[in-house]
Every structure is written in C-alpha cells, then in structure tokens.
Amino acid sequence: MKSAFKKGGLIFAGLLLTIILVGQLTEAPQNDAASVDVVSERVLVPGGHSVGVRMDVKGVLIVGLEEIETADGERINPGIKAGLQIGDMILEINGTKVYKASEVQEVVNEIRGDVNLKVKRKEDTLNIRLTPVLAKEDGLYKLGVWVKDKTAGIGTLTYYDPVSQSFGALGHAIVDPETGSVLSVDNGQLLQAQVQSIQEGEVGTPGEIRGVFYEAESPLGGLEKNTSYGIFGNAYHPIENTLYDKPLVVGTQDQVEKGKAYILTTLDDNKLQRFEIEIERIDHQKEPSDKGMIIQVTDERLLEKSGGIVQGMSGSPIIQNDRIIGAVTHVFVNNPQKGYGIFIEWMLQEAAS
C-alpha cells in the first residue's frame, strides 16, 4: 500500500503512505560546524529491511470539508462555519473521546443537537462549538467533514538497538497526503514487507517500491513515535542483518567524509543488499534537519534496477568506514540518482526525547 505527500521541492524517498516532496533543488547555505553529543561508541544493528507500517491515528483527522444539503434544499457546511480546518484532529465530542472515523457520526447522531468538539490544531488544543446539519440524502446529522483514523505504507528500517531493543525507520515523518499534517500515533505496528516490484525513477517522475505486508500476525515491533526525523518504537524480538554479523558503531556528523559510502536496502527477491554511493556535500548542523548530506547513487546495479533512489527507500541506512552515519530521506525529482540523507545522531536524539 502506498500514498504520496507533496511539499516544496523534493521527494521523501519512500515511506509508508509514501511521502513526496517535488520540485527544484536549491543550494542551502552551509552552517558552522557543530559538535553534537552522542553516546560514545554506541553500536546499532543496521537496517535496510523493507518494512510495512500500520498506524492508527490518535484522534480523528479532518481531511476534507463539504457542504451538506438539507431537506429544504439549503446547502450548509457547519464545519467551516464553526472554524474547523483541514488538518484538525478531533479528539472529543461533548467530552466523549473518539478514536475512529465511524465514531464521529455515531456520537453526533446520538446527541442530535449542538456539539462541543475538542480539537488539536498543530500544537494547540481548541474547543469548537457547532450545530450539525440534518442531511437530506440519508437523514443523518453531519458536521460537514471528511475524516480518517488509519494509515499504512511501505518504508525501510534504519536501525535496531540491541541494548534497548528499540528501532528507528524512515528518517522523516509520516504525514497525511491531503493535509500535510504529521500524524500522531495512537497505536501502530512495524510489519515485515515483501517487495513485489520496482517502478524505475525518471527525471520529473519519482519511482517507487511496491510491496505487500506479510506475517501480519507476527509484527516486528510496536510504534510509539512519529516525528519529523523518523518513526520509532520497540521491537518484539531481536532484528538481525544478514550482511553484518556484528552491530556497527554510530558515526557522528563530524566523522562523515565526502566520498564513497554505502546504503543498505531491499530490492530483488526480498534480499537485503549493499549499494555504493558518493557523499557529495555535508552540511554540518547545530539543529536537527532531515537534509544533512547530499548523496549520489554510483552503483550500476542499483541504477539499472531502480534508476537511483525511489520512494520506499526512506530510512535506508548510510554506512561509511564501518560506521552507521545516517539514512536516506529524499530523492531529487529532477535527478533520481541524487537525494538527501539525515545524520543518524538526529534520529537517535529524537528517539530518546
């Protein structure tokens, strides 16, 4: 299952719901070098595994607003009239918590009158009062909103921590494609995924990995956080890497060098593989960002198979000098051989916060 998110000038290289950013890359100014504290010689099992993400959204997300036709032919949108916006999250109706889209209609039609909504809008919590409309079409009271409560998609595991038994993946957030909102996790799981096919990326058209979930009854772990720098949770059992029999040391951004490196990802026959890349630019950062490195795929095998970086590779770990230094996050729409990577320290910092 896939989906796409658009924003500005790149494409989130994969993701579940698969996240998209499109447009032209512009050069960003280099920041002053910064020393960032990371646990000395921390070790992680590198990922590269294709994974499925199944997530219940905390609350009910408004993804659309519509007019309702009443019995007398009048068209009204009570949601807009009350000030609701696309991207708002409905948490409660008259004090009753709602977790599913179906519950909104059920609660509203039990009340059959004015309702008070507790709504989360970005970082703010609002109380909004509105009057539902009785729809001519089906005789139900409605708020004039389209809502959703679940999402799912394909991405790539970045690391497994054998000490804490935690994991990180994607290197960027899962956002709703209609609203661009970062989705809050209520309940979710990391699942095993099997690659079915690969659509090659071309200039102006991002490629993608198409896969399916399997062994859904035996998930890899539970999701706890969806953040701007990745998704995080705890594994139900140890996760191994067939290419490395021992964990790799974490590399800080000041240990990253221009030049040859590798990414780990899953393509043919659901087999984890290592592909050569070139780190072309390093932006030393004082503050977290999911665009710390510019990388270019140089491995002919990967270029032949996928054209470069494609959606579904988000989270593919970047390895240099036997250290795990980051993860793939974006692909350039106008050059699928290139993309951005996030420094691993930002993912670890976010996981620990």
Side-chain angles (χ1 to χ4, degrees), residues 252-279:
T252 60
Q253 61 177 288
D254 52 6
Q255 292 173 315
V256 179
E257 305 171 351
K258 290 183 180 180
K260 185 167 70 173
Y262 299 91
I263 62 171
L264 308 182
T265 199
T266 302
L267 297 177
D268 294 319
D269 301 322
N270 222 36
K271 181 182 178 182
L272 182 61
Q273 297 180 72
R274 186 172 78 160
F275 298 102
E276 188 174 312
I277 63 168
E278 187 86 4
I279 297 176

Side-chain angles (χ1 to χ4, degrees), residues 233-246:
N234 291 309
Y236 296 147
H237 52 76
I239 299 174
E240 298 179 347
N241 185 302
T242 56
L243 300 177
Y244 294 88
D245 57 3
K246 294 181 180 179

Side-chain angles (χ1 to χ4, degrees), residues 193-299:
Q194 187 169 29
V195 176
Q196 297 290 297
S197 64
I198 300 169
Q199 178 183 330
E200 185 174 339
E202 300 176 352
V203 174
T205 304
E208 66 180 7
I209 293 174
R210 295 170 178 169
V212 298
F213 303 167
Y214 70 100
E215 295 186 1
E217 70 282 358
S218 302
L220 297 172
L223 292 182
E224 297 192 354
K225 298 174 69 175
N226 174 36
T227 78
S228 297
Y229 310 112
I231 61 171
F232 306 95
N234 291 309
Y236 296 147
H237 52 76
I239 299 174
E240 298 179 347
N241 185 302
T242 56
L243 300 177
Y244 294 88
D245 57 3
K246 294 181 180 179
L248 297 182
V249 175
V250 169
T252 60
Q253 61 177 288
D254 52 6
Q255 292 173 315
V256 179
E257 305 171 351
K258 290 183 180 180
K260 185 167 70 173
Y262 299 91
I263 62 171
L264 308 182
T265 199
T266 302
L267 297 177
D268 294 319
D269 301 322
N270 222 36
K271 181 182 178 182
L272 182 61
Q273 297 180 72
R274 186 172 78 160
F275 298 102
E276 188 174 312
I277 63 168
E278 187 86 4
I279 297 176
E280 292 191 338
R281 195 177 85 187
I282 304 165
D283 289 333
H284 294 285
Q285 300 165 337
K286 295 180 180 179
E287 299 294 334
S289 168
D290 56 4
K291 305 181 190 72
M293 297 170 271
I294 292 180
I295 64 174
Q296 176 161 359
V297 175
T298 56
D299 198 304

Side-chain angles (χ1 to χ4, degrees), residues 271-339:
K271 181 182 178 182
L272 182 61
Q273 297 180 72
R274 186 172 78 160
F275 298 102
E276 188 174 312
I277 63 168
E278 187 86 4
I279 297 176
E280 292 191 338
R281 195 177 85 187
I282 304 165
D283 289 333
H284 294 285
Q285 300 165 337
K286 295 180 180 179
E287 299 294 334
S289 168
D290 56 4
K291 305 181 190 72
M293 297 170 271
I294 292 180
I295 64 174
Q296 176 161 359
V297 175
T298 56
D299 198 304
E300 291 297 329
R301 297 172 301 153
L302 185 55
L303 292 173
E304 182 178 351
K305 185 66 180 178
S306 66
I309 301 167
V310 297
Q311 299 174 68
M313 288 184 184
S314 283
S316 296
I318 302 173
I319 311 296
Q320 187 181 61
N321 297 327
D322 289 328
R323 293 177 178 265
I324 180 169
I325 61 171
V328 177
T329 57
H330 306 73
V331 57
F332 296 172
V333 175
N334 292 327
N335 184 355
Q337 295 182 16
K338 291 188 177 185

Side-chain angles (χ1 to χ4, degrees), residues 16-211:
L16 1 108
L17 251 140
T18 306
I19 292 181
I20 293 189
L21 299 169
V22 284
Q24 203 82 16
L25 172 68
T26 57
E27 291 293 314
Q30 296 221 4
N31 299 325
D32 292 336
S35 176
V36 180
D37 292 331
V38 174
V39 178
S40 177
E41 297 300 293
R42 181 175 179 178
V43 296
L44 302 172
V45 175
H49 314 67
S50 182
V51 292
V53 179
R54 184 172 59 193
M55 190 173 86
D56 293 340
V57 175
K58 184 179 293 184
V60 180
L61 182 69
I62 297 176
V63 297
L65 296 158
E66 66 168 347
E67 291 184 331
I68 306 299
E69 185 178 359
T70 65
D72 59 8
E74 188 178 5
R75 302 188 71 85
I76 302 174
N77 190 311
I80 290 179
K81 188 176 180 180
L84 290 175
Q85 298 178 10
I86 292 174
D88 286 350
M89 191 79 70
I90 301 175
L91 303 176
E92 297 179 8
I93 303 176
N94 282 15
T96 299
K97 293 182 179 181
V98 289
Y99 301 97
K100 299 180 180 179
S102 60
E103 292 175 345
V104 173
Q105 184 167 292
E106 291 172 3
V107 174
V108 167
N109 279 273
E110 286 175 2
I111 296 170
R112 303 172 69 86
D114 289 357
V115 296
N116 291 298
L117 304 183
K118 184 177 181 180
V119 173
K120 183 177 180 182
R121 180 176 297 165
K122 295 183 178 178
E123 301 304 318
D124 299 324
T125 300
L126 310 174
N127 291 298
I128 295 178
R129 184 177 180 83
L130 61 88
T131 303
V133 171
L134 185 63
K136 176 182 178 180
E137 180 183 19
D138 53 18
L140 295 174
Y141 286 89
K142 297 183 177 181
L143 304 179
V145 298
W146 287 93
V147 293
K148 69 183 295 184
D149 53 37
K150 298 180 185 295
T151 188
I154 300 291
T156 301
L157 181 72
T158 303
Y159 69 83
Y160 165 71
D161 186 329
V163 175
S164 65
Q165 296 183 320
S166 60
F167 66 80
L170 301 185
H172 57 66
I174 301 171
V175 302
D176 181 77
E178 287 90 356
T179 68
S181 302
V182 176
L183 300 173
S184 298
V185 178
D186 179 54
N187 181 43
Q189 293 180 320
L190 193 74
L191 306 171
Q192 297 185 72
Q194 187 169 29
V195 176
Q196 297 290 297
S197 64
I198 300 169
Q199 178 183 330
E200 185 174 339
E202 300 176 352
V203 174
T205 304
E208 66 180 7
I209 293 174
R210 295 170 178 169

